[in-house]
Amino acid sequence: MNPYETFDTKGRRQRPLKAEQKASLARFLDLAGDYLRDGYTYSQKAYTFTDDFREPRSVEADHAALPLRADSLEALEAEIQHCRDCPLHTHRIKTVPGEGVARPLVLVIGEGPGADEDTSGRPFVGKAGQLLDRMLASVDLSRERNCFIANVVKCRPPHNRDPLPEEIAACARFLNRQLALLKPRMIFCLGRVALQALLHTDAGIGRARGQLTTYQGFPLLGTYHPSALLRDVSLKRAVWEDLKILRDQLAALDTREP
Ligand code: URA
């Protein structure tokens, strides 16, 4: 499957092209036309083409751009809504910036919206989301009172595939901006994709979960994604261990800084 594949209104397959691809196609068509006409090759015509989609900026360039960008969550949401930095925008129904309280104890980070999130514009509202709400409630956390819930990418990847590295890179500036605005006490990262994206590691989730580390100076803890838990209940014990670490870390923070 081509992740960039889109369809026109008549259901015909469309594939966004890079400028070089369009240029070689044009050269080929020119040559074929010349050949069919009289067998001679004429000098090439000059064309100017542009990419159908932009290369994602580097993460470093995004970081450099951050201070000039949205200075409130509302402004950031508007920016996300208009984003066309990667091909995921062509598939989305709604962008899913995230939701929760403005100064959260915990920023929960998942991988990307699924079908329910794409139609509602809200993060973690499907079956996995309901389980996430129960997981958080078990340690006295919720999106209504003390958490903010976001994703590594803000638009749904087609067919719920993993977001591609270039899509994650294109969206990184939004998550980093959210982090700077929200200033959570901790990050709780859900699943392999989000953890690998944030920590730039190949480590599997079975190894990396439950280990305290930091992301951009904020304490970070990872655990299994609630969807994995729905598929395999034997992971429940490990997730509960991780939730207890989260709870204890938050309790320690609270006593150190009343
Ligand atoms: N899975 C995620 O990672 N994020 C959502 O918002 C929903 C499901």
Side-chain angles (χ1 to χ4, degrees):
M1 184 190 67
N2 175 355
Y4 297 125
E5 200 168 73
T6 56
F7 296 88
D8 68 12
T9 48
K10 296 199 171 116
R12 288 175 302 214
R13 186 170 274 122
Q14 291 184 314
R15 193 161 70 97
L17 295 175
K18 309 275 294 171
E20 312 90 80
Q21 292 173 301
K22 291 183 197 174
S24 25
L25 196 57
R27 274 196 297 279
F28 171 76
L29 291 172
D30 275 350
L31 279 172
D34 290 347
Y35 180 78
L36 289 174
R37 218 169 10 253
D38 53 19
Y40 284 106
T41 300
Y42 295 104
S43 58
Q44 280 177 22
K45 299 184 190 95
Y47 297 105
T48 310
F49 293 106
T50 52
D51 292 349
D52 284 337
F53 55 88
R54 283 175 39 193
E55 282 295 345
R57 277 180 289 252
S58 73
V59 176
E60 290 72 22
D62 285 336
H63 286 187
L66 280 182
L68 306 173
R69 297 246 152 192
D71 59 3
S72 71
L73 286 174
E74 292 72 28
L76 186 61
E77 236 176 72
E79 216 178 290
I80 292 170
Q81 218 175 358
H82 293 103
C83 175
R84 290 163 162 258
D85 283 0
C86 87
L88 291 185
H89 81 269
T90 60
H91 299 272
R92 74 184 171 214
I93 299 172
K94 287 191 176 168
T95 51
V96 184
E99 69 179 22
V101 301
R103 271 306 179 92
L105 272 181
V106 180
L107 171 60
V108 180
I109 303 179
E111 70 180 62
D116 294 319
E117 292 76 20
D118 188 38
T119 43
S120 66
R122 298 180 55 214
F124 280 97
V125 290
K127 282 218 169 78
Q130 288 156 25
L131 177 56
L132 173 64
D133 285 340
R134 291 201 296 279
M135 283 162 53
L136 294 175
S138 72
V139 286
D140 204 22
L141 295 170
S142 76
R143 61 180 95 193
E144 288 81 24
R145 283 187 302 112
N146 47 20
C147 292
F148 192 97
I149 306 201
N151 282 297
V152 167
V153 295
K154 313 301 188 197
C155 299
R156 182 191 181 197
H159 312 291
N160 292 346
R161 64 160 168 75
D162 291 350
L164 302 173
E166 53 269 36
E167 292 159 354
I168 292 172
C171 221
R173 69 191 177 96
F174 293 133
L175 187 62
N176 289 333
R177 195 76 199 115
Q178 284 178 317
L179 198 50
L181 290 166
L182 292 164
K183 298 186 176 53
R185 307 296 290 277
M186 281 199 73
I187 298 172
F188 193 43
C189 188
L190 304 174
R192 173 187 57 85
V193 173
L195 202 71
Q196 290 184 343
L198 294 185
L199 301 183
H200 299 288
T201 172
D202 289 334
I205 185 71
R207 233 163 200 269
R209 59 150 278 271
Q211 310 285 329
L212 274 169
T213 176
T214 57
Y215 177 67
Q216 301 210 350
F218 294 90
L220 179 148
L221 181 73
T223 195
Y224 289 108
H225 194 285
S227 309
L229 208 51
L230 287 172
R231 288 191 300 269
D232 180 357
V233 284
S234 73
L235 302 177
K236 205 169 159 185
R237 191 191 183 92
V239 171
W240 175 233
E241 292 305 319
D242 299 339
L243 283 165
K244 282 193 293 186
I245 298 174
L246 181 68
R247 181 192 61 191
D248 293 348
Q249 286 297 313
L250 291 170
L253 281 174
D254 285 344
T255 50
R256 271 203 303 272
E257 295 169 26

